[in-house]
Amino acid sequence: MENFEPEIVAFCCHYCAYTAADMAGSKHIYYPANVKIIRVPCTGKVDTIHIMKAFEKGADGVYVAGCLEGDCHFKNGNTRAKYRVEQVQNILKDLGWEIERLEMINMSAGMGERFASTALEFTKKIKQLGPSPIKIINTEKHQQVAD
Amino acid sequence: MITAEQKPLKEIIEYISPYDRILLVGCNECVTVCAAGGRKEVGLLASALNLNCLKQGRTIDIKEITLERQCDPEYVEELVSEIDRADAILSMACGCGVQTIAERYKEKPVFPAVNTKFMGASVSQGIWAERCQGCGDCLLGITGGICPVARCSKHLLNGPCGGTSNGMCEIDPDVDCAWRLIWERLKALGMEKRYEEIMEAKDWRPAGGGGPRKIVREDLSL
Amino acid sequence: MQKLKDIQQNKSNNKSVLVIGGGVGGIRAALDLAESSRNVILIDKSYSIGGLMTQLDRTFPTNNCDLCTVSPHLSENTRQIHLDIQPMTQLEQLTGEAGNFMATLVTEPRYIDMDKCTACGECYKQFPEAVRFTPGLDPRAPTCMRYPQATPYAFSIDMEKVIDIKALQKVCKAGAIIPHDTQKKTTVEAASVVLSAGAQLFDPTVLDNFGSGQFDNVVTGLEYERIMSASGPFQGDLVRVSDKKRPKKVAWIQCVGSRGINKADVPYCSGVCCMYALKEAMVTKERFAESIEATIFYMDMRTYGKDYELYFNQAKNDYNVRMIRSRPHSIIENNKTKDLSITYAIEEGLQKTEEFDMVVLSTGFRVPETTIELANRLGIELNTHNFTKTDHFNSVQTSRPGVYVCGVIESPKDIPETMVQASAAASMAASDFPIAKDVSLAENEFMPERDVSMEALRIGVFICDCGLEIGGVVDVDKMVEFAGTRPDVVVSHAVGYGCSSESMIMIEASIKENKLNRVVIGGCSPRTHETKFQDLLRRAGLNKYLVEIVNLRDQNTWPHIGQPKEALDKAFKLLHIGINGVRKSRSLMDYTLPMSPNALVVGGGVTGMTAALQLANQGIKVYLVERDSSLGGLAKSIRKTIEGDDVGSFMTQLVNDVSAHEKIQVLTRTIIVDHSGMPGRFKTGIQSGPRMNYMQLNHGVTIFATGALPNRPDVYGLGTHDNIVTQLELDAVIEDDPDKIKSLNQVVMIQCVGSREPDNPNCSRVCCQAAIKNALRIKTINPDAQIFILYRDIRTYGFQEDYYREARNIGVVFTRFSLENRPEVKVENDQVSVFVDDIILGSKIQIETDCLALSTGMIADDETTEDLSMMFHLPRTMDNYFLEDHVKLRPVDMSVRGIFIAGTTHSPKTIRESITQAYAAAGRAQTLLGKKEINLGAAVAKVDGSKCAACLVCVRACPYSIPFINEDGYSQIDPAKCHGCGICAADCPAKAIQLLVYEDDQILAKLDYLFGGLN
């Protein structure tokens, strides 16, 4: 597990976080390649099911990145996203998962540095938490078969 | 509308733990409207159950299906094609739906995934409140459109009791005293006189005191 | 196809605007005109277009190279129909008059048949000495050099250097080389001409005192940019030319060749050198080493542009750039070390000598001889400095009607000002046409869309290397190979620069040939390039929503440049997501709404009136809203310009023209109370007249020209004595009461009153010229009056420098003070006295004055901009001016499409500059109003009625209250009103709503293949 490279999905809104990611790129600011972005028009579009499915498919961590509070291009999509993230965190808690695997993050389009630093911090955090519980059990099973 | 709330995941997981193939059935009526058991909640629950099994290193086959209405046999009939491929049924409908399924598919175990709560109304987005207990003998005509049976904690017919304080109920300062509401409403309507009339003791037989209730419409039941 | 021919026919019948010069200004003007459906011929004498800006490494004040991200993308199609770019072409003659010019153009031989050339580059590879490859630019926009191959026209042959023409011909597989190509002469009809020929930078080798051209380590500002640039001589490493070592001490010398009276000098100020020196100094420290000492030798620091003073402060305070107020006489080189020593005198009179490793000469603009000849051919007049002479109230109008000018050829200026003038010139040029009908670009000229719904999936994957930007980090071939192994992928290709014309043609051909029905492009961000590839699909007969752009550059190779392994792994995954996302895409229809043809102009000052009049003259209905009871604004109180023009009579004429215009509805005593709608269909509520009647205006565009306020800070005794006045008040006295002026003995003017101070840090820009204007006028009336101007930096940019010099020549005394040591004003026995430290004398002097004029400048109208920014969702600067969408390239566009700003609501400026911006805003507004429809895209929410439970969740959740439960008992969402956020789709408990383009199965398909799918 020492060489664990987490798989992280970031649902990014087109207007802020996705643009911030592009900004980080154009300024050549490093962030870990573990983060894969799925573009949505607004974080208000991110369904609780999408977040659950990401974990189901094997994500070690998921974050939803939207505009700064009060700056949503669609008035309040990011606030809705925040509550949905909390809802999924509750489900994760009930299932005995670390809720830290899911987070809501806010940034503006110009914050390339913030995009990079949150990607870095989040990846670090997931590395510390280790692989998703799904993966742990499957690796163990794998090993048993090998034994 | 009938309101419901999803059961704790733990309880649901316990119910279905012996089975590998689950038919997860939602309902497109009341439980959709109160966001407890519609297509979306079905998807979310399926995902949560999947996650739980994956964590245990096993797989589970969950078939998601949402019926127009689970409390009508014709709609429930739509499950026929799926039923053989399931070891158990998990219903996200209210108790009526769960029982309709149980009655139709006698050979399969059926489990509820929601707790049916009450007959309520939507106060605003995301908030539902109890408004009716189905007492079978509606009093709203004389109580200014506010039901003392459903909304007074003691179901008093001649309230308020001494527990009213600043217009709120003693059981919870967030609960309106129904009789305060009734008085204000009657006053606004200029019907204060009504309030002074003493109501006689209520006949609770139509409310279920006489055993399970049934409505028969002979003109329609031919 | 017939339709396309019709359009082409139409094109040849219609007149064009001839734009001369393909720098940023020319490109901007050409794009504006093309966008508003005017045909444009853009000629440039060079082999490719781009101009001076493409040689810059980064630009101030963002210190970014962000051209390619922010440039508006002209649809490929609009470009094809309206824009004709002719490099290597010059104007020989212009006959006729405005509206009916005949232009004779001469195109030099390229020796390459452009119809045959595939831009393979083989000739250049084998005969680099004879084949010119001027990478330059993609003409669709002023893009930067990240796309060097974007124009196939970049190749040309220098016949004089060809030794073996046969051998050269042989390498060209396409047979495109024409050895006997000749000069071509054509004649075109033009309604108007926009001249944007730019200028040259001064060549300091003619000076003998700075060693330019002799000393290795003395470079010009532009040479320094090239050294720092990644595409420069040292691959972006900052080293000395002499020993290729990193310099430790770099000095900049300002005003080299400018603001001088010596031989080879020009007297005017070049306007941009202070800013670029600051930029170069900061970038040096930021990119190379904080420890490099950067020193700037300057006379006056002229950071008069919007927020430029903050930039200056940043350089001083955050980057510790040394500022020395001195004009060094010469540079001496140490023969051995090649170090340079500068001897300079500081203000207190001491002389110092200091060693530097490198010296940068900040050289300014010069009009080349060729431009003078061009002006002669065009028949336009030049001013004394050989720049184009323009109208004093219209900076883009030359002496010849129908010929307009923009950029540095008019006067020295920076990029934002060039952009403003370019849009203004485009607007003026368009007014020489009869009002153009929108040549509908909608669907008809395309081939019909293929119905792919029943076809088996045939996916084509095309991967760009973007030069080294992608290909230098990850192995493109591996990605191509990987993509090729995915199911249903029938074509997988590397395409070099995917957005270059030849690659686009190749992809289009491949789509047709292989009957592809889904396309994946691996390249840069969809934010910038989606439209371009969507257009390509449309040309290839596919619906534009069948393409998926995989962001391999901005979100992969750029941030992960140092980790090629991780980047490659991520690239595989991103491609995989893209390929599987595109499987689920389907043909969608864009929704459109008719455009509201009206314009709302807020503010009835000189700017608002000029913009309104310009739009109204184009047949556009304009609502002109003014809160005051009459039109005029701040300009009403200004009497004369520095050039001596009568502002009063100009204003009277303007007010009359506006009031009489049948297309303008003037609404005075009117305030804005609410605002809604979308670009192209705005609704604004106003209250008007003495009774404040409410009215709602429908308009497609909005121009804010709400102005700024005259500042009136409570300092230097302002308001305590009749002899203490503002510069604006003095202006009126000079005009109205010459006797009073004749009686004055000593006049004192204090500059930067309330500006460049901590609570208002920016420069008010107009005060230096205003003070000098008033000083000159007083001297004319009363030559005996003694005038003292107490200043911090004299900022008479451009030709204003002439007036500064004149003022000094006739004896106006200029005394400098510093922020730490401001002058003091005392009033004793009705006598106003000013005390100031004279830096040169080294002592305090007292001046008794009978007129103290304070240059109080301007401040933002905080209350107005705050109200409007809340209502219209517009950003503001720190000091409460409106903040435009991009300070460099989109100076009058706001971030909300369809909203423009002009005049002093943008930042302080003169009347003339405000008018130019008004024309620019009107021009930009016309590009939008020229369209009959607004495209809303296809990303709208769609309800599946059979699933809907009529639960009202969407009705309540929608931020815009669009969904409703219809007669059939299910939710209905009007696609024309839907904003496309997808909140309802995510909240719907029955999953009955899908947001098109971002449907659940598309998102889930992407998630599916993000993990594990690789096995």
Side-chain angles (χ1 to χ4, degrees), chain A residues 7 22 30-31 47 50 57, chain C residues 525 527 573 991 1000 1008:
Chain A
E7 292 288 3
D22 277 356
Y30 159 85
Y31 58 86
D47 198 319
H50 298 157
K57 300 293 173 195
Chain C
S525 177
R527 283 176 49 253
K573 288 190 170 146
K991 291 270 118 241
D1000 285 330
D1008 256 349

Side-chain angles (χ1 to χ4, degrees), chain C residues 326 328-329 342-354:
Chain C
S326 176
H329 171 266
I342 296 179
T343 302
Y344 61 94
I346 57 168
E347 261 181 306
E348 290 79 4
L350 296 170
Q351 206 172 52
K352 289 188 174 179
T353 301
E354 208 177 317

Side-chain angles (χ1 to χ4, degrees), chain C residues 691-798:
Chain C
R691 295 201 177 157
M692 284 280 126
N693 296 325
Y694 180 84
M695 200 161 92
Q696 198 174 50
L697 308 175
N698 291 310
H699 51 110
V701 298
T702 314
I703 296 175
F704 286 110
T706 52
L709 301 174
N711 196 4
R712 214 183 156 79
D714 191 13
V715 290
Y716 297 127
L718 184 59
T720 63
H721 195 283
D722 287 348
N723 290 354
I724 305 177
V725 296
T726 65
Q727 209 65 256
L728 206 56
E729 288 159 353
L730 177 60
D731 178 82
V733 175
I734 298 171
E735 205 60 21
D736 302 340
D737 194 357
D739 288 341
K740 172 149 192 207
I741 298 300
K742 278 181 192 145
S743 71
L744 297 176
N745 294 316
Q746 301 216 78
V747 179
V748 179
M749 298 181 181
I750 303 180
Q751 299 303 102
C752 299
V753 177
S755 303
R756 302 179 67 197
E757 295 270 355
D759 58 342
N760 180 29
N762 266 306
C763 165
S764 283
R765 185 179 177 121
V766 299
C767 325
C768 285
Q769 60 94 28
I772 289 167
K773 166 185 78 178
N774 287 344
L776 290 174
R777 284 158 75 200
I778 292 171
K779 278 286 197 184
T780 311
I781 298 168
N782 176 3
D784 297 331
Q786 271 230 315
I787 304 177
F788 299 87
I789 297 183
L790 313 184
Y791 73 101
R792 289 173 56 198
D793 289 280
I794 288 292
R795 294 184 167 173
T796 44
Y797 50 92

Side-chain angles (χ1 to χ4, degrees), chain C residues 568-588:
Chain C
L568 185 64
D569 179 57
K570 179 169 167 182
F572 283 160
K573 288 190 170 146
L574 294 180
L575 272 174
H576 212 208
I577 297 173
I579 293 168
N580 288 287
V582 86
R583 290 163 174 276
K584 300 284 180 189
S585 62
R586 52 195 175 101
S587 300
L588 296 171

